[in-house]
Amino acid sequence: MTPDQSPLGKTASYADQYDPSLLFPLAREPKRSEIGIRGSVPFLGADLWTAFELSWLNLKGKPQVAIAHITVPCESTHIVESKSFKLYLNSFNNTRLDSADAVRDRIRDDVSRAIWDGETVKSAAGVRLLTPPLFECEPVKELEGVSIDRLDVECDTYQPHPEFLTAALGEKPVEEVLVSDLLKSNCLVTGQPDWGSVQIRYSGPQIDQAGLLQYIVSFRNHNEFHEQCVERIYMDIMARCKPAKLMVYARYTRRGGLDINPWRSSHPQLPPANTRTARQ
């Protein structure tokens, strides 16, 4: 199935009884092939989702609410289209379930099947629910690193332009964490703006910060889903700057009560904490 066959950008009625068929899988392969990925992926990582609008009924019919953190492994064959995920979560609204654990288990099982779309589930989605007593434990924290937004650069290119990326290939390697709040792209189907912050952690030849900022800004009019943009950034930096290690992590502002935060790494490491930024 393709994005234009999804519910995205179309009028849709909200089902309020549990319906896992609402989840709409989209294959990762077509967009990955555009950036030179064939077969197994050359990185590790996951897509970290936060769902702020989750509610169901207990067995007495009393509404319950929670925040859900969902982890979708990057090696899955599919992503779930975000509007379909919102419709799916709303299908719990008038569904009676005996516990938050029961809701968590259904979401985990349904999303796991969707991201493998008929294939054997090789790595399940992770799901964690936070009920109201835990809401105050949810911090707000900005991405750590040196902000490259301080640089006074000229920007006039608003489609991805990897030629902006350069590194000091013949000099002593460095370790750096660079961040920018100027990432913007557009939904692949509707063209609606997606706003994000990006963190780039690497070791290797020092990346030219001005060129990196111009490169990030160059996504401004680009139409691609969040996951696809982050993988494009990762592959372009790897190809042009040749770091020994690389991590690219983006946190996008929420739409429809959902935020999606892709993370890709060249080496095994713990995933970043799914902690929202001020704009989220």
Side-chain angles (χ1 to χ4, degrees):
M1 293 183 281
T2 60
D4 58 356
Q5 295 172 302
S6 78
L8 196 60
K10 301 181 178 69
T11 300
S13 59
Y14 281 86
D16 60 5
Q17 292 292 330
Y18 169 68
D19 184 1
S21 71
L22 292 168
L23 292 171
F24 190 91
L26 290 170
R28 294 187 189 267
E29 189 278 330
K31 277 293 179 179
R32 284 181 170 172
S33 66
E34 288 184 13
I35 55 175
I37 299 175
R38 303 285 192 279
S40 60
V41 292
F43 42 65
L44 306 171
D47 307 320
L48 309 178
W49 293 58
T50 311
F52 293 93
E53 299 174 5
L54 174 60
S55 183
W56 67 96
L57 304 178
N58 69 12
L59 297 184
K60 293 184 177 180
K62 180 183 175 183
Q64 309 292 297
V65 296
I67 296 171
H69 289 302
I70 301 103
T71 303
V72 176
C74 73
E75 66 268 20
S76 66
T77 57
H78 290 67
I79 61 175
V80 175
E81 187 275 310
S82 60
K83 183 176 180 180
S84 79
F85 195 77
K86 177 179 173 63
L87 294 170
Y88 163 74
L89 292 178
N90 273 279
S91 78
F92 284 89
N93 287 353
N94 283 343
T95 301
R96 297 190 182 213
L97 293 160
D98 62 3
S99 67
D101 287 348
V103 177
R104 178 201 63 203
D105 292 347
R106 290 200 187 194
I107 295 173
R108 182 190 61 225
D109 293 345
D110 295 338
V111 173
S112 296
R113 283 192 291 269
I115 62 176
W116 291 98
D117 195 30
E119 296 186 17
T120 301
V121 174
K122 298 174 185 176
S123 50
V127 180
R128 181 167 63 98
L129 296 193
L130 300 177
T131 52
L134 297 174
F135 286 176
E136 66 179 4
C137 300
E138 285 287 273
V140 175
K141 187 176 181 181
E142 298 308 299
L143 294 173
E144 295 181 349
V146 176
S147 174
I148 59 175
D149 298 344
R150 72 189 190 284
L151 301 173
D152 185 20
V153 300
E154 182 173 343
C155 300
D156 59 7
T157 302
Y158 303 113
Q159 289 292 341
H161 192 71
E163 290 76 13
F164 283 136
L165 295 169
T166 62
L169 299 179
E171 298 182 9
K172 184 178 179 179
V174 302
E175 293 186 10
E176 283 189 316
V177 183
L178 306 175
V179 297
S180 173
D181 295 315
L182 302 186
L183 178 61
K184 175 194 170 287
S185 53
N186 300 319
C187 173
L188 180 63
V189 177
T190 66
Q192 292 295 306
D194 293 321
W195 305 93
S197 300
V198 61
Q199 180 187 65
I200 296 161
R201 183 185 300 270
Y202 76 96
S203 60
Q206 187 164 34
I207 296 173
D208 177 71
Q209 294 183 11
L212 177 61
L213 180 57
Q214 290 172 310
Y215 170 72
I216 289 170
V217 170
S218 75
F219 278 76
R220 193 167 182 84
N221 292 340
H222 181 59
N223 294 342
E224 238 176 9
F225 292 139
H226 306 55
E227 303 92 333
Q228 298 161 350
C229 286
V230 168
E231 292 183 359
R232 186 179 294 274
I233 292 169
Y234 179 97
M235 295 295 287
D236 284 346
I237 293 175
M238 268 295 187
R240 306 281 304 186
C241 301
K242 305 191 184 308
K245 290 185 176 180
L246 175 64
M247 186 201 76
V248 178
Y249 177 39
R251 294 202 63 89
Y252 281 88
T253 60
R254 75 181 82 163
R255 258 201 288 139
L258 295 170
D259 64 42
I260 306 171
N261 310 288
W263 158 65
R264 300 293 183 267
S265 175
S266 62
H267 54 285
Q269 62 178 130
L270 292 174
N274 194 358
T275 303
R276 70 183 181 94
T277 65
R279 289 197 297 168
Q280 294 182 295

